Amino acid sequence: MEEIEQLYHNDFGIAFYWKKESETIIDKIQLVFRETGFYFTVSELTTFGSLIDDSLIKNNCCDVCALKNNCAKFLLKTPCSQIDLAVSVSELKSIKDLVEGTLFKVNLGEYLYGAGLN
């Protein structure tokens, strides 16, 4: 099994960098949830975060529905134009947390080891 450098995880998924020969490959981030894996650049991951926000705004019409957190009728667009995911509101919120937590860790690392390094 190849080594990874974990960036962030929650109960729904994990985000990490792959390692090759003890060197971390930071060009892309592997995002895995619900038996699905995406290999995104930071820009694509940021776009995915915006698409998640758009989906949450579009699908807030079911606030009074008792099943709103469990029905899988919402399509979540991805940065891959050919792929949409059918997700429930609770899954959408978990994916949002995974993406935001990952982006936070990436940006923090860039600050600490880049712009903020004295």
Side-chain angles (χ1 to χ4, degrees):
M1 186 169 126
E2 294 184 59
E3 291 186 45
I4 64 170
E5 181 179 322
Q6 182 176 306
L7 288 166
Y8 187 79
H9 78 281
N10 61 18
D11 290 339
F12 196 67
I14 185 170
F16 57 89
Y17 291 126
W18 285 103
K19 285 187 166 191
K20 186 173 185 175
E21 299 173 6
S22 300
E23 186 175 323
T24 303
I25 304 166
I26 61 170
D27 295 345
K28 291 192 174 189
I29 297 160
Q30 183 76 57
L31 189 72
V32 180
F33 57 88
R34 210 175 80 182
E35 294 87 35
T36 305
F38 291 100
Y39 200 43
F40 288 145
T41 63
V42 173
S43 176
E44 291 168 330
L45 192 59
T46 302
T47 299
F48 192 37
S50 296
L51 292 168
I52 292 167
D53 290 338
D54 292 347
S55 187
L56 282 168
I57 291 167
K58 288 178 187 172
N59 296 307
N60 69 356
C61 60
C62 301
D63 287 340
V64 294
C65 177
L67 298 175
K68 81 169 189 171
N69 289 323
N70 297 314
C71 69
K73 68 174 187 173
F74 303 117
L75 284 180
L76 171 60
K77 294 199 174 299
T78 71
C80 307
S81 62
Q82 302 89 345
I83 301 174
D84 291 346
L85 303 172
V87 296
S88 68
V89 172
S90 61
E91 290 172 328
L92 190 60
K93 290 177 181 177
S94 293
I95 297 167
K96 178 180 173 64
D97 173 71
L98 185 61
V99 170
E100 287 180 347
T102 301
L103 288 170
F104 176 80
K105 292 285 290 242
V106 168
N107 291 331
L108 180 63
E110 286 178 358
Y111 178 78
L112 291 175
Y113 303 110
L117 192 61
N118 288 329

